[in-house]
Amino acid sequence: MKTIVLKADNKNNKAVTDKAAEIIKQGGLVAFPTETVYGLGGNGLEPEAAKKIYAAKGRPSDNPLILHISELSQLRPLVREIPPSAEKLISHFWPGPLTLIFKKADIVPFETTGGLDTVAVRFPENSIAREFISACGVPIAAPSANSSGRPSPTRASHVEYDLNGKIDMIIDGGHCEFGLESTIVDISSDKPCLLRPGSITVEMLKDVLGEIAIDKAVLTKLENGESPKAPGMKYTHYSPSARVIIVRGDSEKVIAKINELISKTDKGLKTGVIASEETKDRYIADETLVIGSIKKPEEIAANLFKMLRKCDHHNIDTVFAEGLPENELGLAIMNRLKKAAGYEIYDV
Ligand code: TXA
Ligand code: MG
């Protein structure tokens, strides 16, 4: 299959999204930008489209997809009820980087929900995403547009690298503003529960809801036999080919520890550090990749997946990353980084 890549540069957005919608209507797959990461879209009400998405990504089909809408009125037919907690979250955070889990209505196929009787719905803010979904006229099922297990794509070139020849079209809308996938909150049972942290932080959710439970999988590695509430959180994720090791604690100690670990690394292996603007000149690694300023967590979030992909392009074998405090945006950043590291962490 030939994958078409078209740039949406504001002047021609309508022509590009109309072309993409045509492909969706014919049962094809289109990758599109959102404010979080690029999504791999197909018709959300068509079981065959869901099957194609799983096949293109190499994703296990028990890992459900998120339905994306472009108007609030598209929500009601997809769900059995909209509880008061959902109403509150919607009025504060939609459109935006928040996904909500509802009890699903019958029209949502089990192929889309990985066999679950709940459905994830997201109303993205990105204008190209909204124009595209709106031109399709149906909810768009879309996981992140990476090969299963790889870092999520925040540039059209990342999607091309992973899925070229496996999907019909990529809409190139430049880089994604937030760079981490949406926050996921399950409001399908009595107590709202955070399943995946993101740019809508726990602190922001608490301001609106008063209280929110946090699924254990958000904070720690689950033991054998335990399963996360978001099925996707159990799979290996965000992994570059490099071994990723996190070192966290007081900044000076972190620098000393990383340099000690580098000096002990087998000389045949290429080492890297994912460092901040403030610490970038302190390391003895073969390559230092600068992720952003410690003072700007949003910058670190936006660049994280790009840095993990860079490790591969630079053929780095072992990469060390500085840990961050796990509050506000730090919780979401560390959640992705810990998975990329397979929970290999030094506390100093
Ligand atoms: O920001 C995002 O959410 C991006 C963009 C494209 O919108 N999408 C995204 O999709 O990250 P994906 O498929 O890579 O991650 C969706 C996560 C998975 O961990 C999946 O298991 C979980 O959401 N999920 C989907 N439906 C669910 C459901 N009904 N119950 C629990 N978890 C669900
Ligand atoms: Mg994903």
Side-chain angles (χ1 to χ4, degrees):
M1 178 189 299
K2 169 132 179 58
T3 304
I4 322 166
V5 185
L6 291 181
K7 232 190 195 84
D9 59 7
N10 293 322
K11 279 177 273 158
N12 66 347
N13 286 7
K14 182 156 176 0
V16 171
T17 52
D18 280 353
K19 165 95 191 149
E22 204 45 53
I23 290 173
I24 295 292
K25 285 173 193 161
Q26 287 164 15
L29 303 184
V30 175
F32 63 100
T34 82
E35 67 274 22
T36 57
V37 300
Y38 275 74
L40 175 58
N43 184 335
L45 302 180
E46 263 311 321
E48 288 309 312
K51 287 183 194 160
K52 279 193 189 173
I53 291 174
Y54 290 116
K57 276 181 67 92
R59 175 175 178 146
S61 59
D62 68 345
N63 187 359
L65 309 174
I66 297 174
L67 287 184
H68 295 67
I69 57 175
S70 56
E71 305 279 346
L72 204 46
S73 60
Q74 284 178 290
L75 172 65
R76 194 65 195 88
L78 302 175
V79 303
R80 280 223 293 281
E81 59 185 12
I82 303 178
S85 56
E87 303 268 11
K88 282 193 208 160
L89 292 171
I90 288 169
S91 73
H92 278 86
F93 301 118
W94 276 12
L98 174 69
T99 295
L100 297 175
I101 311 279
F102 298 87
K103 294 191 176 107
K104 86 170 191 68
D106 291 341
I107 61 161
V108 179
F110 282 111
E111 284 78 0
T112 303
T113 68
L116 298 176
D117 62 3
T118 53
V119 61
V121 185
R122 168 155 132 74
F123 181 177
E125 161 123 69
N126 179 289
S127 61
I128 300 168
R130 286 167 69 173
E131 272 183 57
F132 161 61
I133 299 162
S134 153
C136 293
V138 287
I140 293 297
S144 49
N146 51 283
S147 290
S148 190
R150 299 256 307 143
S152 295
T154 54
R155 304 277 188 285
S157 60
H158 300 166
V159 181
E160 224 178 322
Y161 186 88
D162 282 11
L163 299 178
N164 192 25
K166 297 181 176 168
I167 62 177
D168 299 282
M169 179 175 169
I170 301 169
I171 304 177
D172 181 352
H175 73 271
C176 300
E177 181 189 351
F178 293 110
L180 297 178
E181 309 89 339
S182 61
T183 304
I184 303 180
V185 177
D186 184 352
I187 42 82
S188 69
S189 49
D190 289 346
K191 198 170 176 211
C193 181
L194 178 77
L195 306 191
R196 181 172 74 183
S199 298
I200 306 288
T201 64
V202 170
E203 290 80 356
M204 290 157 78
L205 294 167
K206 278 191 179 155
D207 275 349
V208 172
L209 294 174
E211 224 193 319
I212 181 164
I214 300 182
D215 190 39
K216 195 179 164 197
V218 168
L219 298 166
T220 54
K221 184 177 182 197
L222 296 178
E223 304 301 325
N224 282 344
E226 287 181 311
S227 49
K229 289 206 181 112
M233 301 293 272
K234 72 173 174 272
Y235 293 107
T236 314
H237 251 89
Y238 315 119
S239 317
S241 310
R243 173 178 175 196
V244 181
I245 299 170
I246 301 171
V247 181
R248 66 181 171 190
D250 166 75
S251 179
E252 286 304 318
K253 287 189 185 153
V254 168
I255 294 167
K257 184 70 186 177
I258 290 180
N259 282 334
E260 178 200 324
L261 292 169
I262 293 171
S263 66
K264 287 185 185 155
T265 302
D266 185 316
K267 292 291 167 276
L269 297 178
K270 184 167 180 184
T271 57
V273 179
I274 298 179
S276 65
E277 203 55 67
E278 289 82 358
T279 57
K280 65 176 192 253
D281 298 322
R282 306 283 306 278
Y283 291 107
I284 59 168
D286 297 318
E287 293 262 3
T288 301
L289 309 174
V290 184
I291 191 165
S293 168
I294 295 171
K295 296 188 205 90
K296 294 187 194 150
E298 9 11 291
E299 194 172 271
I300 294 180
N303 286 327
L304 177 64
F305 291 144
K306 189 172 86 173
M307 292 298 132
L308 293 174
R309 283 175 177 266
K310 253 195 179 168
C311 293
D312 287 348
H313 297 312
H314 290 266
N315 297 313
I316 292 170
D317 296 296
T318 307
V319 66
F320 299 90
E322 301 169 337
L324 296 173
E326 287 176 69
N327 58 354
E328 299 186 340
L329 199 47
L331 181 67
I333 297 169
M334 285 299 284
N335 171 268
R336 308 312 192 271
L337 200 51
K338 282 184 196 168
K339 283 176 197 288
Y343 297 88
E344 194 173 352
I345 306 174
Y346 287 86
D347 283 303
V348 291

